[in-house]
Amino acid sequence: MDFDVIIIGSGAGGGFAALNLAASQKKVLLIERGPDPYSPRPPHSNVPFKHITDDRKYDLNGSKSHLFMGDGIGGSSSIYGAVLLRPKPEDFTPGKHLSKYLHPDDYEWPVSFDEFVPYFEKIENHFNMEPFQQDNYGPPEDLAPINSAIARNWRKNGHNSGILPLAIDRKKCIKCPDCPGYVCPTEARGTTRTALVKYTKENSNLTMMTDTVALSIDHKSSTVKIKSLTDGKVKELKATKIILSAGAINSAAILLRSGFQEHYPSLGSCFMYHAGAVSFSLFGRKTEGGEKFIKQLGLDDYYFGTEDFKHKLGIFQSLPTPRAATKPVRNHLYLMMATVEDLPVPTNRVKIDSEGKPVVFHKFHKYDIYRSTYSKKLLRRLMKQAGAIGSFAVTAQWNKTHVGHQVGTIRFGRSAKTSVLDKWCRPHGMENIYVLDGGFMPTSMGASPALTIMANALRVSDYIAKSF
């Protein structure tokens, strides 16, 4: 065989798996649909530039839409928010919070939180960052003045915030106001792209093939059928192991095109991307949201609800101001997001049409909306206590095309009747196929999934490296 491992997708899961396996002296081919987002570079190297996002239109709830997903080396990690939050231990045993609405088969994790901890630590060490802690704000010079003021006001009202764990190299960072959604001009943001490009220049174990789409896989022959987007040629490649990491939507579509639904009835089901709410608040003082990076604060007081509202929510965190607003408005604006763990609803799923293209249906459960609506009210109250002179908020229903935090569709579990993958993220009964994007997650947790996806990629790729 030409390769030990073929990996489809270079985002958080595929990228770290590729680096780990290549470092273990495995010959790895990484297939990426898009190009290198840094080639060519724009003329102004100190200005964030738009990433080449996925240019395909997806059928979402009956309408054709461009979905906000990364495309190119690094995948969505090239445009993500760089916040790498550890989930809570209770996220891996969520029965206390979800059993009223779900059967245990729908929410149980076949791997414990403790098994993930060493890999959380490895990723955090890789990016030179610490786990989130309330009352930890890092070096004083790093915290924007508005965030210092908000933290003080919250503390007076009994709320304890902290600085978000950001995979950003402070020595390279120039504190752009619109960081997420754009390619970092100095490569300070910790993406898989930077590490992959550096590794391929220095080592021959890892080969990258860009502008190439994976059409299907054959587990019996351990082959991947691919199509070049430059010349349209189709061919098959063979490897001992094949890893899917094209995102919860596209990995599911590849498996569906490959006929896996005949053996795994839950394939494509339980598509999730966090419910929640976003508040837009105006301050009399300058927030400097149009000039500086102010996405720094996190608050997890309400991760598991409140005394009066005993329902699981998730992390609350600040956001950058939208570039669409004028600079004077942005300089008095502050955005905050409340994460709400949406339920794994079987009818929220990915299918394929007659041409093999993904067809996505998603509708938040009424329990998701109930908690999101509460979060919206809570955000407004928190921002008033923070010193805002006015605030309004919207729930996740408002945005129809942002599928960040996409998980589910190829979930792992204990049985092929209720899940697709085993604890090592292989389709039940198979030894040569693995799924290492967010599709493996049985629940969405109360925090962004990036750190968990990266940690799982290391956990499973360690196992793969020892298996042959």
Side-chain angles (χ1 to χ4, degrees):
M1 292 188 180
D2 294 331
F3 301 98
D4 295 317
V5 184
I6 292 176
I7 300 177
I8 302 166
S10 61
F16 272 100
L19 292 166
N20 199 29
L21 288 165
S24 301
Q25 303 306 307
K26 305 302 179 187
K27 195 170 183 182
V28 179
L29 172 65
L30 186 59
I31 297 171
E32 173 55 53
R33 180 185 180 274
D36 183 350
Y38 284 91
S39 181
R41 281 181 177 269
H44 303 292
S45 61
N46 63 338
V47 179
F49 53 99
K50 190 72 174 179
H51 182 51
I52 304 174
T53 51
D54 196 322
D55 58 358
R56 292 169 288 188
K57 279 194 171 183
Y58 289 80
D59 186 327
L60 175 64
N61 295 337
S63 298
K64 297 289 185 180
S65 306
H66 287 292
L67 304 183
F68 191 74
M69 299 186 292
D71 193 36
I73 301 175
S76 289
S77 77
S78 288
I79 56 172
Y80 79 142
V83 178
L84 298 183
L85 285 158
R86 286 193 186 191
K88 302 289 187 182
E90 294 90 339
D91 284 321
F92 283 58
T93 55
K96 175 182 176 182
H97 305 280
L98 304 181
S99 60
K100 182 178 178 181
Y101 301 91
L102 301 169
H103 188 275
D105 289 337
D106 294 323
Y107 59 74
E108 284 186 345
W109 286 61
V111 180
S112 71
F113 177 85
D114 290 341
E115 291 177 74
F116 268 75
V117 170
Y119 297 101
F120 290 146
E121 292 173 349
K122 286 183 179 182
I123 297 296
E124 290 160 352
N125 290 337
H126 175 85
F127 289 119
N128 193 28
M129 50 180 278
E130 297 179 351
F132 176 75
Q133 292 180 327
Q134 295 196 129
D135 291 326
N136 176 18
Y137 299 99
E141 65 272 15
D142 282 352
L143 196 62
I146 185 62
N147 287 324
S148 295
I150 289 173
R152 285 195 303 271
N153 288 336
W154 277 346
R155 197 176 298 115
K156 291 176 184 177
N157 287 277
H159 311 301
N160 297 303
S161 60
I163 195 166
L164 293 166
L166 295 163
I168 294 177
D169 185 339
R170 292 197 296 268
K171 293 179 181 178
K172 294 182 179 179
C173 181
I174 55 175
K175 301 187 185 303
C176 303
D178 33 25
C179 178
Y182 298 87
V183 175
C184 178
T186 64
E187 298 188 64
R189 190 193 304 134
T191 74
T192 57
R193 180 264 171 201
T194 304
L196 288 168
V197 170
K198 182 176 185 294
Y199 191 95
T200 53
K201 287 180 179 178
E202 299 173 354
N203 301 272
S204 60
N205 291 335
L206 177 60
T207 302
M208 285 194 288
M209 183 182 290
T210 59
D211 299 294
T212 303
V213 63
L215 301 175
S216 61
I217 59 177
D218 186 330
H219 76 276
K220 292 181 180 178
S221 61
S222 201
T223 57
V224 181
K225 182 182 287 188
I226 62 171
K227 179 180 179 180
S228 169
L229 297 181
T230 55
D231 59 20
K233 292 182 178 179
V234 176
K235 62 180 179 179
E236 291 187 345
L237 300 173
K238 193 169 186 178
T240 304
K241 308 285 185 182
I242 297 170
I243 294 173
L244 271 174
S245 188
I249 293 174
N250 284 301
S251 285
I254 291 170
L255 291 177
L256 288 166
R257 289 197 296 266
S258 306
F260 278 63
Q261 65 272 28
E262 295 178 12
H263 304 286
Y264 309 100
S266 69
L267 175 60
S269 69
C270 299
F271 176 57
M272 294 168 277
Y273 55 95
H274 280 127
V278 176
S279 64
F280 303 76
S281 303
L282 281 174
F283 281 75
R285 63 173 294 167
K286 286 186 72 173
T287 63
E288 299 181 294
E291 300 170 3
K292 295 181 179 180
F293 180 77
I294 63 172
K295 178 187 172 178
Q296 295 176 311
L297 286 187
L299 185 149
D300 68 356
D301 284 356
Y302 305 108
Y303 205 100
F304 299 108
T306 70
E307 285 296 318
D308 299 325
F309 190 83
K310 299 183 185 298
H311 301 276
K312 187 179 179 186
L313 302 174
I315 191 78
F316 286 26
Q317 65 180 62
S318 53
L319 295 174
T321 57
R323 191 183 268 193
T326 63
K327 190 172 180 180
V329 172
R330 293 180 72 185
N331 277 336
H332 288 270
L333 191 62
Y334 195 94
L335 272 66
M336 195 83 185
M337 177 184 77
T339 304
V340 172
E341 179 180 23
D342 51 329
L343 296 181
V345 179
T347 53
N348 288 341
R349 63 183 305 126
V350 175
K351 298 183 179 181
I352 54 173
D353 63 17
S354 58
E355 298 179 351
K357 296 179 181 178
V359 177
V360 185
F361 177 80
H362 183 276
K363 181 181 180 181
F364 287 118
H365 190 279
K366 62 181 180 181
Y367 183 54
D368 300 336
I369 302 304
Y370 173 65
R371 289 174 293 147
S372 296
T373 301
Y374 176 84
S375 296
K376 181 174 70 171
K377 297 175 182 177
L378 183 55
L379 278 174
R380 294 185 64 188
R381 185 163 75 245
L382 282 169
M383 296 316 299
K384 182 177 181 180
Q385 293 173 347
I389 58 176
S391 181
F392 78 95
V394 294
T395 65
Q397 293 171 288
W398 173 74
N399 195 323
K400 304 296 185 183
T401 61
H402 196 297
V403 292
H405 300 191
Q406 58 174 283
V407 299
T409 72
I410 320 170
R411 305 185 310 152
F412 71 172
R414 295 182 172 87
S415 167
K417 293 181 180 179
T418 55
S419 62
V420 179
L421 309 174
D422 64 17
K423 67 173 293 184
W424 295 113
C425 294
R426 301 169 300 191
H428 290 284
M430 296 185 186
E431 300 289 334
N432 59 334
I433 309 295
Y434 296 80
V435 178
L436 294 184
D437 51 41
F440 87 94
M441 292 172 54
T443 57
S444 64
M445 314 183 304
S448 59
L451 179 62
T452 301
I453 294 170
M454 293 174 182
N456 186 60
L458 291 186
R459 180 185 74 91
V460 176
S461 58
D462 273 356
Y463 175 82
I464 295 172
K466 296 172 184 176
S467 68
F468 67 103

